Amino acid sequence: GTQMSDEADNKLIQTWKDAWYAAGWEPRVLSLLHAKMHPQFREYSEKLKEIPMMGVDGLGSNIVYNQLCFLRWLAMAASGGGYMSDYDVFPLEQTPLATPETFTVFSVVKGSKTAGIPCLMGGEPSEWTRMAYAILENGIKHKETENMWSDMFALIDMRKDEAYAVEDAVVEGQDVLLDHPWTPSECAITKDKKAVHMSHEALRQGHILDGESYEDRPLIVKRFINEWAPVCQANNGAVAAGAPASGAAVVTAGAPAPGATTPSI
């Protein structure tokens, strides 16, 4: 799950919406109902049961969470495609983008050139459906050899198949959570990056104040933006915000259903 309370989750979603809106986008939060709008939802859901999701402890305590991580791909296809952002990914540029014709993943595993992380992605509806089934079939192939397989594991495993395009455009949160004020020389950290991923790992490895925890992510994000933007945003490729391209939208798989956890890598 998110390792956060519902209150903190909701605050982070609102912080996410405010940030993307301020950058010129039209953020929407998708739910399980959006995935159910897909004509292949029932078939997909049945096949999803074949993917190993028992976790390293073998207890399967996060099965619902991991199933939702797969179903968000269908939700994107059924909602018109465009861009999907995890609710802990925040824009660094005020430049809404046209939806890429080829499915594109904008975050990669550090040290890798092609292993995508599913925290910021974009594509047309047909591409979202194609990728939804590609990660599904990849997961099913591992049912005899693995106890745990996620949409991220599938995406990374599929890098050798060249199933998607990649762009290293997301900076990891631990690289921007500095223990001192931002200076112009440090703007190189975020230069040409489209977004920052404030993941759990970012809070573990980056600098946060004494007493802060995952519950404080909304506050930590706002503090970073307020400290970084005056120093670096003008030199980060930012332009005057405009309306997103037709059909393009930043969305998140957050709050998939009442009581369900919000997918976040």
Side-chain angles (χ1 to χ4, degrees), residues 14-27:
Q14 187 60 53
T15 302
W16 172 90
K17 290 172 68 175
D18 292 343
W20 284 101
Y21 183 81
W25 295 77
E26 297 175 5

PDB file of all heavy atoms in Angstrom, residues 14-27:
ATOM      1  N   GLN A  14      -4.351  16.121  -3.545  1.00  0.00           N
ATOM      2  CA  GLN A  14      -4.705  17.516  -3.784  1.00  0.00           C
ATOM      3  C   GLN A  14      -3.466  18.341  -4.140  1.00  0.00           C
ATOM      4  O   GLN A  14      -3.512  19.204  -5.028  1.00  0.00           O
ATOM      5  CB  GLN A  14      -5.394  18.114  -2.557  1.00  0.00           C
ATOM      6  CG  GLN A  14      -5.952  19.512  -2.794  1.00  0.00           C
ATOM      7  CD  GLN A  14      -6.991  19.544  -3.907  1.00  0.00           C
ATOM      8  OE1 GLN A  14      -7.951  18.778  -3.890  1.00  0.00           O
ATOM      9  NE2 GLN A  14      -6.794  20.416  -4.893  1.00  0.00           N
ATOM     10  N   THR A  15      -2.353  18.075  -3.467  1.00  0.00           N
ATOM     11  CA  THR A  15      -1.103  18.753  -3.784  1.00  0.00           C
ATOM     12  C   THR A  15      -0.683  18.442  -5.211  1.00  0.00           C
ATOM     13  O   THR A  15      -0.230  19.330  -5.950  1.00  0.00           O
ATOM     14  CB  THR A  15       0.010  18.320  -2.799  1.00  0.00           C
ATOM     15  OG1 THR A  15      -0.399  18.619  -1.454  1.00  0.00           O
ATOM     16  CG2 THR A  15       1.317  19.028  -3.095  1.00  0.00           C
ATOM     17  N   TRP A  16      -0.844  17.171  -5.602  1.00  0.00           N
ATOM     18  CA  TRP A  16      -0.534  16.733  -6.969  1.00  0.00           C
ATOM     19  C   TRP A  16      -1.407  17.467  -7.986  1.00  0.00           C
ATOM     20  O   TRP A  16      -0.902  18.000  -8.987  1.00  0.00           O
ATOM     21  CB  TRP A  16      -0.745  15.222  -7.042  1.00  0.00           C
ATOM     22  CG  TRP A  16      -0.660  14.618  -8.406  1.00  0.00           C
ATOM     23  CD1 TRP A  16       0.460  14.128  -9.012  1.00  0.00           C
ATOM     24  CD2 TRP A  16      -1.734  14.410  -9.328  1.00  0.00           C
ATOM     25  NE1 TRP A  16       0.136  13.644 -10.257  1.00  0.00           N
ATOM     26  CE2 TRP A  16      -1.192  13.803 -10.473  1.00  0.00           C
ATOM     27  CE3 TRP A  16      -3.102  14.688  -9.286  1.00  0.00           C
ATOM     28  CZ2 TRP A  16      -1.970  13.465 -11.583  1.00  0.00           C
ATOM     29  CZ3 TRP A  16      -3.880  14.351 -10.389  1.00  0.00           C
ATOM     30  CH2 TRP A  16      -3.321  13.743 -11.515  1.00  0.00           C
ATOM     31  N   LYS A  17      -2.702  17.523  -7.723  1.00  0.00           N
ATOM     32  CA  LYS A  17      -3.613  18.210  -8.643  1.00  0.00           C
ATOM     33  C   LYS A  17      -3.266  19.685  -8.771  1.00  0.00           C
ATOM     34  O   LYS A  17      -3.236  20.244  -9.883  1.00  0.00           O
ATOM     35  CB  LYS A  17      -5.062  18.046  -8.164  1.00  0.00           C
ATOM     36  CG  LYS A  17      -5.605  16.635  -8.292  1.00  0.00           C
ATOM     37  CD  LYS A  17      -6.975  16.483  -7.637  1.00  0.00           C
ATOM     38  CE  LYS A  17      -8.041  17.251  -8.386  1.00  0.00           C
ATOM     39  NZ  LYS A  17      -9.385  17.001  -7.796  1.00  0.00           N
ATOM     40  N   ASP A  18      -3.005  20.340  -7.656  1.00  0.00           N
ATOM     41  CA  ASP A  18      -2.677  21.760  -7.672  1.00  0.00           C
ATOM     42  C   ASP A  18      -1.411  22.020  -8.490  1.00  0.00           C
ATOM     43  O   ASP A  18      -1.338  22.992  -9.252  1.00  0.00           O
ATOM     44  CB  ASP A  18      -2.483  22.284  -6.252  1.00  0.00           C
ATOM     45  CG  ASP A  18      -3.783  22.303  -5.445  1.00  0.00           C
ATOM     46  OD1 ASP A  18      -4.861  22.220  -6.051  1.00  0.00           O
ATOM     47  OD2 ASP A  18      -3.693  22.394  -4.200  1.00  0.00           O
ATOM     48  N   ALA A  19      -0.405  21.150  -8.326  1.00  0.00           N
ATOM     49  CA  ALA A  19       0.873  21.348  -9.016  1.00  0.00           C
ATOM     50  C   ALA A  19       0.727  21.188 -10.524  1.00  0.00           C
ATOM     51  O   ALA A  19       1.245  22.009 -11.299  1.00  0.00           O
ATOM     52  CB  ALA A  19       1.914  20.371  -8.476  1.00  0.00           C
ATOM     53  N   TRP A  20       0.015  20.148 -10.962  1.00  0.00           N
ATOM     54  CA  TRP A  20      -0.143  19.936 -12.400  1.00  0.00           C
ATOM     55  C   TRP A  20      -1.052  20.999 -13.015  1.00  0.00           C
ATOM     56  O   TRP A  20      -0.815  21.465 -14.138  1.00  0.00           O
ATOM     57  CB  TRP A  20      -0.680  18.537 -12.680  1.00  0.00           C
ATOM     58  CG  TRP A  20       0.363  17.466 -12.530  1.00  0.00           C
ATOM     59  CD1 TRP A  20       0.534  16.626 -11.473  1.00  0.00           C
ATOM     60  CD2 TRP A  20       1.400  17.147 -13.458  1.00  0.00           C
ATOM     61  NE1 TRP A  20       1.601  15.793 -11.682  1.00  0.00           N
ATOM     62  CE2 TRP A  20       2.146  16.092 -12.897  1.00  0.00           C
ATOM     63  CE3 TRP A  20       1.768  17.647 -14.711  1.00  0.00           C
ATOM     64  CZ2 TRP A  20       3.250  15.526 -13.555  1.00  0.00           C
ATOM     65  CZ3 TRP A  20       2.859  17.085 -15.367  1.00  0.00           C
ATOM     66  CH2 TRP A  20       3.588  16.040 -14.784  1.00  0.00           C
ATOM     67  N   TYR A  21      -2.063  21.419 -12.285  1.00  0.00           N
ATOM     68  CA  TYR A  21      -2.942  22.476 -12.783  1.00  0.00           C
ATOM     69  C   TYR A  21      -2.148  23.771 -12.964  1.00  0.00           C
ATOM     70  O   TYR A  21      -2.298  24.481 -13.975  1.00  0.00           O
ATOM     71  CB  TYR A  21      -4.107  22.687 -11.825  1.00  0.00           C
ATOM     72  CG  TYR A  21      -5.116  23.715 -12.314  1.00  0.00           C
ATOM     73  CD1 TYR A  21      -6.099  23.378 -13.245  1.00  0.00           C
ATOM     74  CD2 TYR A  21      -5.066  25.029 -11.854  1.00  0.00           C
ATOM     75  CE1 TYR A  21      -7.006  24.320 -13.708  1.00  0.00           C
ATOM     76  CE2 TYR A  21      -5.965  25.984 -12.307  1.00  0.00           C
ATOM     77  CZ  TYR A  21      -6.939  25.617 -13.233  1.00  0.00           C
ATOM     78  OH  TYR A  21      -7.814  26.555 -13.699  1.00  0.00           O
ATOM     79  N   ALA A  22      -1.303  24.091 -11.992  1.00  0.00           N
ATOM     80  CA  ALA A  22      -0.499  25.304 -12.068  1.00  0.00           C
ATOM     81  C   ALA A  22       0.482  25.256 -13.235  1.00  0.00           C
ATOM     82  O   ALA A  22       0.897  26.302 -13.750  1.00  0.00           O
ATOM     83  CB  ALA A  22       0.265  25.506 -10.755  1.00  0.00           C
ATOM     84  N   ALA A  23       0.840  24.041 -13.660  1.00  0.00           N
ATOM     85  CA  ALA A  23       1.772  23.879 -14.778  1.00  0.00           C
ATOM     86  C   ALA A  23       1.054  23.869 -16.126  1.00  0.00           C
ATOM     87  O   ALA A  23       1.683  23.636 -17.157  1.00  0.00           O
ATOM     88  CB  ALA A  23       2.578  22.595 -14.604  1.00  0.00           C
ATOM     89  N   GLY A  24      -0.268  24.081 -16.120  1.00  0.00           N
ATOM     90  CA  GLY A  24      -0.996  24.212 -17.364  1.00  0.00           C
ATOM     91  C   GLY A  24      -1.736  22.983 -17.833  1.00  0.00           C
ATOM     92  O   GLY A  24      -2.244  22.943 -18.954  1.00  0.00           O
ATOM     93  N   TRP A  25      -1.816  21.964 -16.993  1.00  0.00           N
ATOM     94  CA  TRP A  25      -2.496  20.726 -17.353  1.00  0.00           C
ATOM     95  C   TRP A  25      -3.914  20.697 -16.786  1.00  0.00           C
ATOM     96  O   TRP A  25      -4.310  21.575 -16.029  1.00  0.00           O
ATOM     97  CB  TRP A  25      -1.711  19.526 -16.816  1.00  0.00           C
ATOM     98  CG  TRP A  25      -0.361  19.361 -17.446  1.00  0.00           C
ATOM     99  CD1 TRP A  25       0.764  20.086 -17.170  1.00  0.00           C
ATOM    100  CD2 TRP A  25      -0.002  18.432 -18.457  1.00  0.00           C
ATOM    101  NE1 TRP A  25       1.807  19.652 -17.948  1.00  0.00           N
ATOM    102  CE2 TRP A  25       1.371  18.635 -18.748  1.00  0.00           C
ATOM    103  CE3 TRP A  25      -0.693  17.428 -19.141  1.00  0.00           C
ATOM    104  CZ2 TRP A  25       2.060  17.880 -19.698  1.00  0.00           C
ATOM    105  CZ3 TRP A  25      -0.010  16.676 -20.090  1.00  0.00           C
ATOM    106  CH2 TRP A  25       1.348  16.908 -20.366  1.00  0.00           C
ATOM    107  N   GLU A  26      -4.640  19.655 -17.159  1.00  0.00           N
ATOM    108  CA  GLU A  26      -5.992  19.419 -16.637  1.00  0.00           C
ATOM    109  C   GLU A  26      -5.997  18.084 -15.897  1.00  0.00           C
ATOM    110  O   GLU A  26      -6.390  17.058 -16.453  1.00  0.00           O
ATOM    111  CB  GLU A  26      -7.018  19.407 -17.771  1.00  0.00           C
ATOM    112  CG  GLU A  26      -7.127  20.737 -18.509  1.00  0.00           C
ATOM    113  CD  GLU A  26      -8.066  20.663 -19.692  1.00  0.00           C
ATOM    114  OE1 GLU A  26      -8.711  19.607 -19.876  1.00  0.00           O
ATOM    115  OE2 GLU A  26      -8.148  21.645 -20.452  1.00  0.00           O
ATOM    116  N   PRO A  27      -5.528  18.074 -14.656  1.00  0.00           N
ATOM    117  CA  PRO A  27      -5.390  16.806 -13.925  1.00  0.00           C
ATOM    118  C   PRO A  27      -6.734  16.182 -13.583  1.00  0.00           C
ATOM    119  O   PRO A  27      -7.692  16.873 -13.238  1.00  0.00           O
ATOM    120  CB  PRO A  27      -4.634  17.210 -12.657  1.00  0.00           C
ATOM    121  CG  PRO A  27      -4.956  18.661 -12.481  1.00  0.00           C
ATOM    122  CD  PRO A  27      -5.082  19.222 -13.870  1.00  0.00           C
TER     123      PRO A  27
END
